[in-house]
Amino acid sequence: MSAFGVVGNLGQRLLALAERRLPALTRLRAVEALPIRLHRRRIYVLPSLFGIGFAALLLIMQLGALNYANNPALLLTCLLGAAAWMSLYAGFRCISGLELSAIQATESHAGSSVSIRCRFASSTRSRPNLRIRWAGIDHAFAIAAGPPTETTLELPAQRRGWMHPGRLKLWTDQPLGLFVIWSWLNPEFSVLIYPALEASPPPFPFDGKRSGIRMARNEGDEYSGLRDYRSGDPQRQIAWKASARHDSLLVRESERLIQDDLHFDYAAIRGLDHEARIRRLTAWVVAADNAELGFTLELPDQCIGPGHGALHRHACLRALALLPDAH
């Protein structure tokens, strides 16, 4: 093993020992409510391996300059030392005053990744080369002076249920890489991971006892009327002439009849284990919602529906995600 590898392992062991013996100095044990602002009392600084080597070089240069009474070499050593000290100040200013104002996560299923957006409050100065280490994932980003900035991390979603990423490390080694400046943040944040989808689920089960008819609005069917434009509506549905008369964007709506005859029953699925049943039910729920079909989800401890739409879909996926493990 190289000398740098030995020093690196020693540094990791010393940091682990410090976290065990001095938790107040190296991490925050309590969960913090957002927003979280970084001030000077919670920012830590240590020289990097490159910084330690640079300091050793400066010491050798200074001893040589003093031994040979070489004033230009002594002046160069002092200038390099001053530059190193100013780089510490610049790196500290890069993190000091930073504020994590909000965290949001997108919908995710087990076996994929979850996108987490971290929003930082507006800054009066630019902050280059910032890095986040969260749940073992490193992410580099920068904050420009001006409005709030968002950065997105992709964390692995390994299993269904509540995911608690825990504390995160925000750090930088700007501008010369001589020092590592960091701070620990332990935001009050968790995200619900929905179950994985079955790869090739069978067709929907049909239950004639639970059939009904409802009107669903969709494009490409019988004309129904006009409504105000909503973000995401396709441009081909905009009624341009009517919009010009009313001085606002209007969208054509249509109606179609669909049957609410879907009943997804956990107990009715045979030949699969607990997690496989959950994956199949999840695939059916997502497919039925995409097709704008109404459905009922029956689980061992509850029955959800009948219903349709985004709220019903999320209620079903939430119940599946929090279903207890089989014993």
Side-chain angles (χ1 to χ4, degrees), residues 274 324-327:
H274 180 67
D325 296 334
H327 297 290

Side-chain angles (χ1 to χ4, degrees), residues 111-125:
S112 61
S113 61
V114 55
S115 298
I116 299 180
R117 295 193 302 272
C118 298
R119 182 181 180 89
F120 293 90
S122 57
S123 176
T124 57
R125 59 181 181 270

Side-chain angles (χ1 to χ4, degrees), residues 91-123:
F92 182 87
R93 290 185 74 249
C94 190
I95 290 185
S96 179
L98 197 60
E99 181 177 310
L100 178 62
S101 58
I103 304 177
Q104 293 180 332
T106 59
E107 178 181 320
S108 177
H109 292 266
S112 61
S113 61
V114 55
S115 298
I116 299 180
R117 295 193 302 272
C118 298
R119 182 181 180 89
F120 293 90
S122 57
S123 176

